[in-house]
Amino acid sequence: MDTQKIIKQLEETHSRVSVRRTQSGSRLIDRDRPGKVSTVTSLLVLAGMTLVGGCGPQEVESDLGGMSAFRVRSGFDSGLNANEGWAGALNESVAINADQPFRIRFEVEPLAVRDGAPFELQYRKNEDAWERVEAHDFPHPLRELELELEKAPIGQLPKNWSVEQGIAQGVVVAQEKGSKLLRIQESPNPQIINYLSSWELTELAVEVRLSQENQSGAGFVFAFVDARNFCRVFLDAVESVIRVSRIANGVESIIVEKSATIASGQWLSLEIDMEGELAEVNFQNDTLEFEAEMGTYTLSTQFGIYLPANSAADFREIAIAGDARTPGVSIVSCPSFENGEATTNLLENSAMPFQAGTGVNLDEKTDSRSGGNVHSEYEWALVVRRLADGAINNESGDRFEFRMATADGTPLKSGRNPDLRLVIPPGHLGGTFVETPVRIGPWQASNGDLYFIIEPTETDNLFMMVKSSDNGITWREVDAVNRPKTNDLEAVDGRQVGDTIHILHQVTKSAHLHSFRTSDHPTDPDTWAFTDELAAVADSMAQAATLVVRSDGSMVAFYVGQTLHYNIRTAEGTWGEQVIIDPDAPAGAGPKAALGDNDTVHVAYYRVDGTLWYRSLKTDGTLTVGQQLASHAGISRAEYGAVLPLVYIPESETVVAIYRLDDGFLWERRIDKSGTI
């Protein structure tokens, strides 16, 4: 690997604003999740490296038979029942790459008792305690499902739905204009129809259409305990209100009511987000938004549909989500088969008759099973990550053993479990990319060591400085104990001065300075010199920050509040007063700065009217008049990062500004030493 080429690439690479929406702010139906830069591809493009993004089970073996064979499939996109893409032979424990999804297919025999109970998957690392494998997707660790009805039989109750209260025959899949929906017909008594998920639910999105005869309304149940204890959002067509209630021991307590137009015969959209003690309700795509203070409640793996007596309604576009985590091992989605799709007899190790099992896709349990002296096959889509929540590292050579168990955690008998050895590919970091980076490395110490800033996961935004002493082949975090306490790397820019890297780090309401000493520091190598020094307080409309270190050790920090600010830190370490750039002009964002001759600071930035501007800051504090670089950069939040990191050419004392316009092209302007564009 050409180290100087890596560094040059990063110095010339543009920063990208990535406006991340939290799960609580997501919209499940339209799945609008811009998110961070792809955790798999970020550094692969930038620098030839890759980034990505309970109770213990019983140890008494089940009497249900056991796992008679397994086979590991590295061809992740192979069909569920295709005899291809295998990583090894039958019952061969193979090597797997970190952050590269794979699949394991198990043969299980016999299923003679406890018919109907599903299976779960368990793993252990390096012979530690066994753990249940949870479902968290990859590369983004989302727990989201759209409850598809297209493959559900018409006229039947769909999979994973149950009638808690009401008439089962009246809850069916129906077809309308080529699409399927869930239809709940009238009952003389109130009805509750529940969906059972694999995980605790924090979000629900649904479209409902009240029948023309339904003048009462429809409700949605969350935090479900039983038919007498749950929380509910009810669309009351009689009173024209949305009512949020808590039902305890069958008694309803109204939390809040909001006026709303609830019409029969047309589709109405509703979203419920459960966060802490709040329920956030969104009706008709932001037409009405409000919060209800629910008090303490327990999240449930079930949500329900509630219909009053003698009411009917249709439902579609049903989506659910749960809180995401990033464990070291998880069950992930797989594009090549549907969750619950039937398996065929591929492994052919057992002499018993075959009964179809299922493929498991972003779920934590198999479908219910039945049958006597038969064998079945189950295939799980999995990933083992390089880094997990808590900055936990999975290392090359770590062993991951898998086994199937009954739903109560009792392991199936097995002559041999798959025991897979992890490989970290050369140059692979793991973790996830800084959200709005400017220059985040790799920096090189005088002895050749490389340094780079990352977060371990999207769900645990710790500030990590990682180091490579072998020219980028392997990477490890350094001085983890003293890493910055300000987490969530919303905007980061660093500058290396000799044996120290100075880092400006902005979060939503403040900006901070950190300083890290590289391995060639004479007294304190590979340590944080200081962290979390408050540089500014500013409630930012869109985090973006950039830093310049002048020859006398003073620093200039640019950052975004409701417009563009800067602040100067003296060589002695004292921050001055914040200065607003263009206080009378449209708000500024996305600054990029570079140091020129005579310690002149050059800065280019975006304004929310879609124009791009250039200024320079002299050592005497003089800020030159703004000069317009371009217009038509666009006016959406995605355009706030239209300006790439500036490049200064000392030989000609020229500043090079590269930027993106709304035509999709990159453009370049140059500012000469006289300040002429």
Side-chain angles (χ1 to χ4, degrees), residues 301-342:
T301 57
Q302 297 183 67
F303 83 85
I305 293 171
Y306 169 83
L307 285 182
N310 304 312
S311 299
D314 296 332
F315 303 86
R316 71 180 187 185
E317 299 289 350
I318 306 170
I320 60 173
D323 283 335
R325 295 195 311 108
T326 310
V329 179
S330 69
I331 302 163
V332 299
S333 63
C334 182
S336 62
F337 67 90
E338 296 291 331
N339 182 49
E341 185 176 327

Short mmCIF file of all heavy atoms in Angstrom, two decimals, residues 301-342:
data_model
loop_
_atom_site.label_atom_id
_atom_site.label_comp_id
_atom_site.label_asym_id
_atom_site.label_seq_id
_atom_site.Cartn_x
_atom_site.Cartn_y
_atom_site.Cartn_z
N THR A 301 -43.41 -7.31 22.42
CA THR A 301 -43.13 -7.88 21.11
C THR A 301 -44.39 -7.94 20.25
O THR A 301 -44.34 -8.40 19.12
CB THR A 301 -42.55 -9.30 21.25
OG1 THR A 301 -43.47 -10.10 21.99
CG2 THR A 301 -41.21 -9.27 21.95
N GLN A 302 -45.52 -7.47 20.79
CA GLN A 302 -46.78 -7.50 20.05
C GLN A 302 -47.32 -6.09 19.87
O GLN A 302 -47.18 -5.24 20.74
CB GLN A 302 -47.84 -8.31 20.81
CG GLN A 302 -47.50 -9.77 21.00
CD GLN A 302 -48.62 -10.51 21.68
OE1 GLN A 302 -49.70 -10.68 21.13
NE2 GLN A 302 -48.38 -10.96 22.90
N PHE A 303 -47.92 -5.84 18.71
CA PHE A 303 -48.79 -4.69 18.57
C PHE A 303 -50.13 -5.21 18.08
O PHE A 303 -50.24 -6.31 17.53
CB PHE A 303 -48.22 -3.64 17.62
CG PHE A 303 -48.48 -3.91 16.16
CD1 PHE A 303 -49.67 -3.50 15.57
CD2 PHE A 303 -47.55 -4.55 15.38
CE1 PHE A 303 -49.92 -3.74 14.22
CE2 PHE A 303 -47.77 -4.80 14.04
CZ PHE A 303 -48.97 -4.39 13.46
N GLY A 304 -51.16 -4.43 18.30
CA GLY A 304 -52.49 -4.91 17.95
C GLY A 304 -53.31 -3.88 17.20
O GLY A 304 -53.04 -2.67 17.23
N ILE A 305 -54.32 -4.37 16.52
CA ILE A 305 -55.34 -3.54 15.89
C ILE A 305 -56.61 -3.68 16.73
O ILE A 305 -57.02 -4.79 17.05
CB ILE A 305 -55.60 -3.98 14.44
CG1 ILE A 305 -54.35 -3.71 13.59
CG2 ILE A 305 -56.81 -3.26 13.86
CD1 ILE A 305 -54.42 -4.31 12.21
N TYR A 306 -57.21 -2.55 17.07
CA TYR A 306 -58.43 -2.55 17.89
C TYR A 306 -59.59 -2.02 17.05
O TYR A 306 -59.48 -0.95 16.42
CB TYR A 306 -58.25 -1.69 19.13
CG TYR A 306 -59.54 -1.44 19.89
CD1 TYR A 306 -60.03 -2.38 20.79
CD2 TYR A 306 -60.27 -0.27 19.68
CE1 TYR A 306 -61.21 -2.15 21.48
CE2 TYR A 306 -61.46 -0.03 20.36
CZ TYR A 306 -61.92 -0.98 21.25
OH TYR A 306 -63.10 -0.76 21.92
N LEU A 307 -60.70 -2.76 17.04
CA LEU A 307 -61.92 -2.28 16.40
C LEU A 307 -63.07 -2.35 17.39
O LEU A 307 -63.25 -3.38 18.06
CB LEU A 307 -62.26 -3.12 15.16
CG LEU A 307 -61.42 -2.91 13.91
CD1 LEU A 307 -61.94 -3.79 12.78
CD2 LEU A 307 -61.43 -1.45 13.48
N PRO A 308 -63.86 -1.28 17.49
CA PRO A 308 -65.04 -1.35 18.35
C PRO A 308 -66.05 -2.35 17.80
O PRO A 308 -65.92 -2.86 16.67
CB PRO A 308 -65.61 0.08 18.29
CG PRO A 308 -64.50 0.92 17.74
CD PRO A 308 -63.70 0.02 16.87
N ALA A 309 -67.05 -2.65 18.58
CA ALA A 309 -68.10 -3.58 18.14
C ALA A 309 -68.77 -3.06 16.87
O ALA A 309 -68.92 -1.84 16.68
CB ALA A 309 -69.13 -3.75 19.25
N ASN A 310 -69.10 -3.99 15.99
CA ASN A 310 -69.84 -3.69 14.75
C ASN A 310 -69.08 -2.72 13.84
O ASN A 310 -69.68 -1.89 13.16
CB ASN A 310 -71.23 -3.13 15.07
CG ASN A 310 -72.03 -4.06 15.95
OD1 ASN A 310 -72.12 -5.27 15.68
ND2 ASN A 310 -72.62 -3.53 17.02
N SER A 311 -67.73 -2.83 13.83
CA SER A 311 -66.89 -1.98 12.99
C SER A 311 -66.03 -2.85 12.09
O SER A 311 -65.61 -3.95 12.47
CB SER A 311 -66.01 -1.07 13.85
OG SER A 311 -66.78 -0.23 14.66
N ALA A 312 -65.74 -2.34 10.91
CA ALA A 312 -64.89 -3.06 9.96
C ALA A 312 -63.89 -2.08 9.36
O ALA A 312 -64.16 -0.88 9.24
CB ALA A 312 -65.73 -3.70 8.86
N ALA A 313 -62.73 -2.60 8.96
CA ALA A 313 -61.70 -1.74 8.39
C ALA A 313 -60.69 -2.58 7.62
O ALA A 313 -60.57 -3.80 7.84
CB ALA A 313 -61.00 -0.93 9.48
N ASP A 314 -59.96 -1.92 6.70
CA ASP A 314 -58.87 -2.54 5.96
C ASP A 314 -57.55 -1.90 6.38
O ASP A 314 -57.51 -0.71 6.75
CB ASP A 314 -59.07 -2.35 4.45
CG ASP A 314 -60.31 -3.04 3.93
OD1 ASP A 314 -60.71 -4.06 4.53
OD2 ASP A 314 -60.89 -2.56 2.93
N PHE A 315 -56.45 -2.67 6.25
CA PHE A 315 -55.14 -2.21 6.68
C PHE A 315 -54.10 -2.62 5.65
O PHE A 315 -54.15 -3.72 5.10
CB PHE A 315 -54.79 -2.80 8.05
CG PHE A 315 -55.80 -2.48 9.11
CD1 PHE A 315 -56.93 -3.28 9.28
CD2 PHE A 315 -55.64 -1.38 9.93
CE1 PHE A 315 -57.88 -2.98 10.24
CE2 PHE A 315 -56.58 -1.07 10.89
CZ PHE A 315 -57.70 -1.87 11.05
N ARG A 316 -53.13 -1.73 5.39
CA ARG A 316 -52.04 -2.02 4.46
C ARG A 316 -50.81 -1.21 4.87
O ARG A 316 -50.86 -0.42 5.82
CB ARG A 316 -52.45 -1.68 3.03
CG ARG A 316 -52.57 -0.18 2.78
CD ARG A 316 -52.98 0.14 1.35
NE ARG A 316 -52.93 1.58 1.11
CZ ARG A 316 -53.32 2.16 -0.02
NH1 ARG A 316 -53.82 1.42 -1.01
NH2 ARG A 316 -53.22 3.48 -0.16
N GLU A 317 -49.71 -1.41 4.13
CA GLU A 317 -48.46 -0.68 4.39
C GLU A 317 -48.10 -0.72 5.87
O GLU A 317 -47.78 0.30 6.48
CB GLU A 317 -48.57 0.77 3.91
CG GLU A 317 -48.83 0.94 2.43
CD GLU A 317 -47.63 0.58 1.58
OE1 GLU A 317 -46.54 0.37 2.15
OE2 GLU A 317 -47.78 0.51 0.35
N ILE A 318 -48.12 -1.92 6.43
CA ILE A 318 -47.84 -2.08 7.85
C ILE A 318 -46.34 -2.32 8.02
O ILE A 318 -45.75 -3.21 7.40
CB ILE A 318 -48.63 -3.27 8.44
CG1 ILE A 318 -50.13 -3.10 8.15
CG2 ILE A 318 -48.40 -3.37 9.95
CD1 ILE A 318 -50.95 -4.34 8.47
N ALA A 319 -45.73 -1.51 8.85
CA ALA A 319 -44.28 -1.64 9.10
C ALA A 319 -44.02 -1.48 10.58
O ALA A 319 -44.70 -0.73 11.28
CB ALA A 319 -43.50 -0.58 8.32
N ILE A 320 -43.02 -2.21 11.07
CA ILE A 320 -42.66 -2.17 12.48
C ILE A 320 -41.16 -1.99 12.61
O ILE A 320 -40.40 -2.29 11.68
CB ILE A 320 -43.10 -3.46 13.22
CG1 ILE A 320 -42.43 -4.69 12.59
CG2 ILE A 320 -44.61 -3.58 13.24
CD1 ILE A 320 -42.68 -5.98 13.34
N ALA A 321 -40.74 -1.51 13.78
CA ALA A 321 -39.30 -1.38 14.05
C ALA A 321 -39.07 -1.51 15.54
O ALA A 321 -39.97 -1.30 16.36
CB ALA A 321 -38.77 -0.03 13.55
N GLY A 322 -37.85 -1.88 15.88
CA GLY A 322 -37.42 -1.96 17.26
C GLY A 322 -36.10 -1.24 17.41
O GLY A 322 -35.46 -0.84 16.42
N ASP A 323 -35.66 -1.04 18.64
CA ASP A 323 -34.39 -0.38 18.88
C ASP A 323 -33.25 -1.22 18.30
O ASP A 323 -33.16 -2.43 18.56
CB ASP A 323 -34.16 -0.19 20.38
CG ASP A 323 -34.97 0.98 20.92
OD1 ASP A 323 -35.30 1.88 20.13
OD2 ASP A 323 -35.27 0.99 22.13
N ALA A 324 -32.39 -0.58 17.55
CA ALA A 324 -31.27 -1.28 16.93
C ALA A 324 -30.07 -1.30 17.86
O ALA A 324 -29.83 -0.37 18.62
CB ALA A 324 -30.89 -0.59 15.62
N ARG A 325 -29.35 -2.40 17.81
CA ARG A 325 -28.04 -2.52 18.45
C ARG A 325 -27.08 -3.07 17.41
O ARG A 325 -27.49 -3.48 16.33
CB ARG A 325 -28.09 -3.47 19.65
CG ARG A 325 -28.96 -3.00 20.79
CD ARG A 325 -28.68 -3.80 22.06
NE ARG A 325 -28.69 -5.25 21.87
CZ ARG A 325 -27.60 -6.03 21.90
NH1 ARG A 325 -26.41 -5.51 22.09
NH2 ARG A 325 -27.71 -7.33 21.73
N THR A 326 -25.80 -3.07 17.76
CA THR A 326 -24.81 -3.66 16.87
C THR A 326 -24.00 -4.67 17.67
O THR A 326 -22.91 -4.36 18.17
CB THR A 326 -23.90 -2.59 16.26
OG1 THR A 326 -24.69 -1.54 15.72
CG2 THR A 326 -23.03 -3.17 15.15
N PRO A 327 -24.52 -5.88 17.83
CA PRO A 327 -23.75 -6.91 18.54
C PRO A 327 -22.66 -7.48 17.65
O PRO A 327 -22.63 -7.23 16.44
CB PRO A 327 -24.82 -7.96 18.86
CG PRO A 327 -25.82 -7.82 17.76
CD PRO A 327 -25.82 -6.37 17.37
N GLY A 328 -21.79 -8.27 18.26
CA GLY A 328 -20.70 -8.87 17.49
C GLY A 328 -21.19 -9.86 16.46
O GLY A 328 -20.55 -10.04 15.42
N VAL A 329 -22.31 -10.51 16.73
CA VAL A 329 -22.91 -11.49 15.82
C VAL A 329 -24.39 -11.18 15.73
O VAL A 329 -25.03 -10.90 16.76
CB VAL A 329 -22.72 -12.94 16.32
CG1 VAL A 329 -23.36 -13.92 15.37
CG2 VAL A 329 -21.23 -13.25 16.50
N SER A 330 -24.97 -11.22 14.54
CA SER A 330 -26.42 -11.03 14.45
C SER A 330 -26.97 -11.73 13.21
O SER A 330 -26.26 -12.05 12.26
CB SER A 330 -26.78 -9.54 14.41
OG SER A 330 -26.39 -8.94 13.21
N ILE A 331 -28.28 -11.97 13.28
CA ILE A 331 -29.05 -12.47 12.14
C ILE A 331 -29.41 -11.27 11.28
O ILE A 331 -29.87 -10.24 11.80
CB ILE A 331 -30.30 -13.21 12.60
CG1 ILE A 331 -29.92 -14.38 13.52
CG2 ILE A 331 -31.12 -13.71 11.41
CD1 ILE A 331 -31.07 -14.92 14.35
N VAL A 332 -29.22 -11.36 9.97
CA VAL A 332 -29.41 -10.21 9.09
C VAL A 332 -30.40 -10.56 7.99
O VAL A 332 -30.82 -11.71 7.83
CB VAL A 332 -28.06 -9.79 8.48
CG1 VAL A 332 -27.08 -9.38 9.57
CG2 VAL A 332 -27.45 -10.90 7.61
N SER A 333 -30.79 -9.54 7.24
CA SER A 333 -31.66 -9.78 6.09
C SER A 333 -30.83 -10.34 4.94
O SER A 333 -29.62 -10.14 4.86
CB SER A 333 -32.35 -8.49 5.66
OG SER A 333 -31.40 -7.54 5.25
N CYS A 334 -31.50 -11.03 4.05
CA CYS A 334 -30.83 -11.61 2.88
C CYS A 334 -31.73 -11.42 1.68
O CYS A 334 -32.90 -11.81 1.72
CB CYS A 334 -30.56 -13.10 3.11
SG CYS A 334 -29.69 -13.90 1.74
N PRO A 335 -31.24 -10.80 0.61
CA PRO A 335 -32.11 -10.47 -0.52
C PRO A 335 -32.55 -11.67 -1.34
O PRO A 335 -33.48 -11.55 -2.15
CB PRO A 335 -31.24 -9.53 -1.37
CG PRO A 335 -29.83 -9.94 -1.05
CD PRO A 335 -29.85 -10.34 0.40
N SER A 336 -31.94 -12.83 -1.15
CA SER A 336 -32.20 -13.95 -2.06
C SER A 336 -33.32 -14.87 -1.60
O SER A 336 -33.69 -15.79 -2.34
CB SER A 336 -30.92 -14.76 -2.27
OG SER A 336 -30.49 -15.31 -1.04
N PHE A 337 -33.89 -14.65 -0.40
CA PHE A 337 -35.04 -15.47 -0.01
C PHE A 337 -35.88 -14.72 1.01
O PHE A 337 -35.40 -13.82 1.70
CB PHE A 337 -34.60 -16.83 0.54
CG PHE A 337 -33.86 -16.80 1.85
CD1 PHE A 337 -34.53 -16.86 3.06
CD2 PHE A 337 -32.47 -16.72 1.86
CE1 PHE A 337 -33.84 -16.83 4.27
CE2 PHE A 337 -31.77 -16.70 3.06
CZ PHE A 337 -32.46 -16.75 4.27
N GLU A 338 -37.14 -15.08 1.09
CA GLU A 338 -38.07 -14.49 2.04
C GLU A 338 -37.94 -15.19 3.39
O GLU A 338 -37.70 -16.40 3.44
CB GLU A 338 -39.51 -14.60 1.54
CG GLU A 338 -39.80 -13.84 0.26
CD GLU A 338 -39.77 -12.34 0.46
OE1 GLU A 338 -40.08 -11.90 1.58
OE2 GLU A 338 -39.42 -11.62 -0.50
N ASN A 339 -38.12 -14.42 4.45
CA ASN A 339 -38.15 -15.05 5.77
C ASN A 339 -39.29 -16.06 5.82
O ASN A 339 -40.42 -15.77 5.42
CB ASN A 339 -38.36 -14.00 6.86
CG ASN A 339 -38.33 -14.60 8.24
OD1 ASN A 339 -37.43 -15.36 8.58
ND2 ASN A 339 -39.33 -14.28 9.05
N GLY A 340 -38.98 -17.26 6.29
CA GLY A 340 -39.99 -18.32 6.37
C GLY A 340 -40.15 -19.12 5.10
O GLY A 340 -40.99 -20.03 5.04
N GLU A 341 -39.36 -18.83 4.07
CA GLU A 341 -39.44 -19.60 2.82
C GLU A 341 -39.05 -21.05 3.09
O GLU A 341 -38.13 -21.35 3.86
CB GLU A 341 -38.50 -18.98 1.79
CG GLU A 341 -38.58 -19.61 0.41
CD GLU A 341 -37.71 -18.88 -0.59
OE1 GLU A 341 -37.55 -17.65 -0.47
OE2 GLU A 341 -37.18 -19.56 -1.51
N ALA A 342 -39.76 -21.98 2.47
CA ALA A 342 -39.56 -23.41 2.73
C ALA A 342 -38.25 -23.90 2.14
O ALA A 342 -37.83 -23.50 1.04
CB ALA A 342 -40.72 -24.21 2.15
#
